[in-house]
Amino acid sequence: MSQPAITLWSDANYFSPYVLSVYVALKEKGLNFTLQTVDLVAGENLQPGWKGYDLTRRVPVLAVDDFVLSESSAIAEYLEERFAPPVWERIYPVDIEKRARARQIQAWLRSDLMPIREERPTDVVFGSAKKPALSEAGLSAVEKLISTVEAVLPAGQQNLFGEWCIADTDLALMLNRLILNGDDMPERLQEYAAFQWQRASVQGFIARSAKRAG
């Protein structure tokens, strides 16, 4: 099936949770793409000469022919519309309310729970790092995360909305910041995160980060 030329820009270590989200979206869509990296540690993203410089100067950046877009949630929505079902695979629920809820969960994970993101950075997830005990703010954020997920994840289901969607990957990443560090997590949420983590598209990204680390 013909498609335009697509390039995804990642951080050099493949540690970005937002690059993971776009990588998975592209894989689940069945799209062919080129993966390129920019070294954030060396500040390459702050120098002219790469696609994301005139945008947010951070990853992910997606180039589809001459159109360049940043911010993972915007990219996911663009991909769903630009490469729309039924020709391409779906990454959001069919039902309009469920689709809105999936986008709500994505936006919440990107804008809230800062203590978890600060105290459990993604080197825990992709680099097997171990971090010290959570602060009071971290524990409070974990309590909020758990209560919210238990409310939105139906009992007995392995996906948020019956079938997989991109919000499942984003949510599993947030849970695994804690689970993979050895922090307490209800068994049901551990099982959900483990199930999501075995998806082939997710494992493909993990393999890249592991290869980079090795």
Side-chain angles (χ1 to χ4, degrees):
M1 187 179 299
S2 62
Q3 63 163 75
I6 301 175
T7 300
L8 171 63
W9 287 87
S10 170
D11 61 298
N13 293 326
Y14 300 105
F15 276 10
S16 168
Y18 311 117
V19 173
L20 165 68
S21 186
V22 175
Y23 180 96
V24 168
L26 287 164
K27 286 291 188 180
E28 295 290 342
K29 281 282 181 189
L31 294 165
N32 296 318
F33 62 98
T34 300
L35 189 61
Q36 296 196 36
T37 61
V38 58
D39 192 335
L40 305 185
V41 176
E44 289 181 0
N45 56 310
L46 305 178
Q47 303 298 322
W50 78 287
K51 290 287 188 181
Y53 179 78
D54 293 329
L55 300 173
T56 57
R57 305 187 188 184
R58 58 184 183 178
V59 294
V61 169
L62 186 78
V64 179
D65 284 339
D66 294 330
F67 178 66
V68 182
L69 184 66
S70 63
E71 297 303 311
S72 60
S73 55
I75 292 171
E77 293 186 25
Y78 166 74
L79 290 174
E80 187 76 328
E81 295 181 14
R82 174 66 176 79
F83 303 97
V87 176
W88 305 95
E89 294 298 321
R90 184 178 297 280
I91 60 171
Y92 283 102
V94 176
D95 179 81
I96 190 170
E97 279 80 20
K98 290 180 179 179
R99 190 159 64 248
R101 185 72 71 204
R103 288 169 170 159
Q104 173 195 325
I105 290 168
Q106 286 184 292
W108 174 62
L109 292 170
R110 286 160 172 74
S111 62
D112 202 351
L113 309 172
M114 180 60 75
I116 297 176
R117 287 185 277 149
E118 289 179 340
E119 297 179 37
R120 297 293 181 265
T122 53
D123 60 349
V124 169
V125 178
F126 302 121
S128 300
K130 296 298 180 184
K131 305 298 180 181
L134 291 160
S135 66
E136 288 188 13
L139 292 171
S140 178
V142 170
E143 181 180 354
K144 182 178 184 180
L145 172 64
I146 291 172
S147 63
T148 301
V149 177
E150 288 182 332
V152 299
L153 179 63
Q157 286 194 191
Q158 295 176 310
N159 300 304
L160 285 165
F161 305 106
E163 292 185 313
W164 175 89
C165 78
I166 192 61
D168 284 301
T169 297
D170 291 346
L171 180 55
L173 182 283
M174 181 61 77
L175 292 170
N176 274 332
R177 290 175 184 265
L178 299 155
I179 294 167
L180 298 178
N181 193 70
D183 297 302
D184 291 337
M185 183 66 58
E187 183 176 356
R188 184 166 79 96
L189 302 193
Q190 291 186 48
E191 292 173 353
Y192 165 80
F195 177 79
Q196 296 299 329
W197 224 236
Q198 291 309 307
R199 201 165 186 89
S201 55
V202 176
Q203 285 296 308
F205 186 85
I206 293 170
R208 288 183 176 274
S209 61
K211 183 178 180 180
R212 185 73 180 186

